[in-house]
Amino acid sequence: MGKVLENEAFGLAAKDNSGVLSPFRFSRRETGEKDVRFKVLFCGICHSDLHMVKNEWGVTTYPLVPGHEIVGVVTEVGTKVTKFKAGDKVGVGCLVGSCGSCDSCTEGLENYCPKSIQTYGFKYYDDTITYGGYSDHMVCDEGFIIRIPDNLPLDAAAPLLCAGITVYSPLKYHGLDKPGMHIGVVGLGGLGHVGVKFAKAMGTKVTVISTSESKRDEAINRLGADAFLVSRDPKQIKDAMGTMDGIIDTVSATHSLLPLLGLLKHKGKLVMVGAPEKPLELPVMPLIVERKMVMGSMIGGIKETQEMMDMAGKQNITADIELISADYVNTAMERLQKADVRYRFVIDVANTLKPNPNL
C-alpha cells in the first residue's frame, strides 16, 4: 500500500439497502481556511442511521457512511479559523452546512434552512457527497463545530449532538423549561431518557408515559422522573387528565394522540419529535375546545446546540450508552431494529476502526 495521504479516510459504509456495512476507503477534502479537521474518537448510532442505511426514506445515495453524533479531538485548523485550535474536544451533529442567508439561518435555526446540508448522504458545495462519523476523521466548517465541555466523557456526550438537542430545543423554544412546570415524556428510549434528564435539570416535574409497566423503576429510581404512567391503563390516564403543561412525544411507532391530548392543561403543548412511518390520526376537538396545540420539532440550530452542550456540562448530563467496537456495528443495527439497546450504541472509533490494507 502506498503513502497514506492526510485527506484519505477510512470508515464503514453501506453499499446497498441490505443493511450491512463494510470497510470503505474514501477521501476527505483538504483543510480549507475555515475548516476544522479532527480525529474521530466516538460516534453514536442514531435510529435514522438505520433508516438511511436501508433506504427506508427513499433518499439514500450509496455508498453511505453514516453517523451524525461525532466527537473527537482537533488535529488541524484552517488559516481563518478563530474558535478552535489543535487539541480541542469537539463534535459534529446532524448538519455541516446551510445557505447562511435565509430567515431560518439569520435566526440561528440552520436546521430549518431549505438548503441545509446534512452530515452524511447529502451533496456538499463542491458537489461531493457528505460522509459521516463512522470514519477515522472529519473535516467540517468551523461554523458547524460544537465544543464539548472538558468534564463530559466524550463517548457518553456523543449522542447529545442528536438526541440531546432533539429534546432540548422544543423544551426551550416552547417555554416548557420553567421550574415547577409539569412535563410529560412519551417513550423511554434513546430520545426519551435524555429528555427526562434535561427536563429535570430545568427544574420541571417530569412524568414518563410508556406502554410498559416494566420501565417504571428505571424511569423513577434511575433516571429521576417524578411519576410514571402506563398509557394503556385507562384509570392512570384518567387520573392524570389536565395536569401537564407540555408533552414531548419521542415515539416513532404508530400510536393514539387522543390520550396524550387529554393529559394536557388548557393551552398545553404536545410536541412530536418521533417520526412514525405512517400518518397519525389527529383529533381536532381537544384543540378547538381547550386551545391545545400539536407541533413538531427537528434537532436545533448550531447556537442552540452549543447552549445545550454547555448546559449538559454544567449539569453533568450525558446519554446512557453501550460502547461497542467497529466490528460489532452490523449486530448493533440488528439489535437497534428490535429496540434492544439501553439507550444508545456508541462506536469506539479510535480504538477499534482499523484500516484494511487490502482496500
Side-chain angles (χ1 to χ4, degrees):
M1 187 175 66
K3 179 182 177 182
V4 177
L5 301 177
E6 181 187 24
N7 60 336
E8 187 175 86
F10 180 75
L12 298 175
K15 313 293 176 58
D16 53 42
N17 66 357
S18 66
V20 176
L21 289 94
S22 58
F24 179 59
R25 195 178 294 280
F26 60 100
S27 293
R28 296 284 187 195
R29 67 177 182 271
E30 297 289 345
T31 306
E33 59 184 18
K34 294 283 287 179
D35 284 338
V36 172
R37 183 182 296 270
F38 66 94
K39 178 182 179 180
V40 176
L41 299 183
F42 303 98
C43 185
I45 297 180
C46 177
H47 206 281
S48 59
D49 296 348
L50 181 60
H51 288 302
M52 287 292 288
V53 163
K54 293 190 171 185
N55 196 24
E56 292 176 344
W57 291 332
V59 297
T60 300
T61 299
Y62 297 105
L64 181 85
V65 178
H68 58 210
E69 299 177 348
I70 316 161
V71 294
V73 176
V74 175
T75 57
E76 182 185 21
V77 298
T79 57
K80 293 187 178 180
V81 170
T82 60
K83 301 177 184 176
F84 303 96
K85 65 183 185 306
D88 285 348
K89 297 177 181 179
V90 298
V92 169
C94 302
L95 301 174
V96 293
S98 69
C99 79
S101 59
C102 68
D103 289 347
S104 294
C105 286
T106 55
E107 293 175 18
L109 297 172
E110 300 89 349
N111 49 314
Y112 297 118
C113 171
K115 296 181 179 179
S116 65
I117 302 172
Q118 295 192 21
T119 303
Y120 65 85
F122 272 60
K123 186 174 288 189
Y124 200 63
Y125 304 116
D126 58 4
D127 287 334
T128 61
I129 298 298
T130 56
Y131 292 126
Y134 295 15
S135 59
D136 54 9
H137 74 275
M138 286 284 295
V139 180
C140 182
D141 184 288
E142 75 165 334
F144 292 84
I145 297 279
I146 304 299
R147 184 179 300 278
I148 309 298
D150 286 336
N151 64 300
L152 292 182
L154 288 178
D155 53 358
L160 300 182
L161 291 161
C162 175
I165 187 59
T166 295
V167 293
Y168 175 92
S169 180
L171 288 169
K172 295 289 286 187
Y173 181 81
H174 295 293
L176 301 176
D177 59 339
K178 307 298 186 293
M181 279 187 161
H182 186 185
I183 305 301
V185 175
V186 187
L188 199 62
L191 294 176
H193 90 285
V194 176
V196 172
K197 293 184 179 186
F198 273 107
K200 283 297 295 179
M202 291 169 179
T204 70
K205 174 185 177 182
V206 179
T207 295
V208 170
I209 305 161
S210 173
T211 58
S212 174
E213 172 68 32
S214 64
K215 293 187 177 181
R216 180 183 296 272
D217 181 69
E218 175 83 1
I220 294 177
N221 295 324
R222 208 174 72 81
L223 294 175
D226 298 283
F228 185 91
L229 289 179
V230 178
S231 57
R232 292 172 176 166
D233 186 325
K235 184 179 185 306
Q236 289 187 33
I237 295 297
K238 181 179 179 181
D239 290 346
M241 286 184 67
T243 64
M244 298 182 188
D245 298 283
I247 295 174
I248 305 296
D249 187 344
T250 73
V251 174
S252 58
T254 302
H255 59 290
S256 175
L257 300 183
L258 186 60
L260 302 179
L261 291 171
L263 295 172
L264 291 171
K265 297 177 182 176
H266 158 63
K267 296 190 297 184
K269 300 171 182 178
L270 172 59
V271 187
M272 311 297 295
V273 297
E277 292 182 12
K278 297 180 180 179
L280 302 182
E281 183 176 327
L282 179 63
V284 174
M285 285 305 292
L287 311 184
I288 297 173
V289 176
E290 297 188 78
R291 194 177 256 181
K292 296 178 181 180
M293 290 165 273
V294 179
M295 62 277 291
S297 185
M298 180 182 72
I299 55 172
I302 301 304
K303 179 181 178 182
E304 190 175 40
T305 303
Q306 187 64 65
E307 290 173 356
M308 176 277 302
M309 193 62 74
D310 291 343
M311 179 183 178
K314 292 175 182 176
Q315 301 282 350
N316 201 31
I317 297 171
T318 56
D320 290 9
I321 67 166
E322 181 176 333
L323 191 63
I324 64 170
S325 61
D327 61 8
Y328 190 78
V329 166
N330 287 320
T331 302
M333 288 287 187
E334 293 173 2
R335 287 179 54 191
L336 185 59
Q337 183 79 55
K338 304 171 186 175
D340 177 23
V341 56
R342 203 183 79 173
Y343 286 96
R344 208 68 154 186
F345 287 119
V346 173
I347 308 167
D348 185 356
V349 174
N351 290 318
T352 67
L353 182 64
K354 304 302 180 185
N356 184 342
N358 297 319
L359 285 180

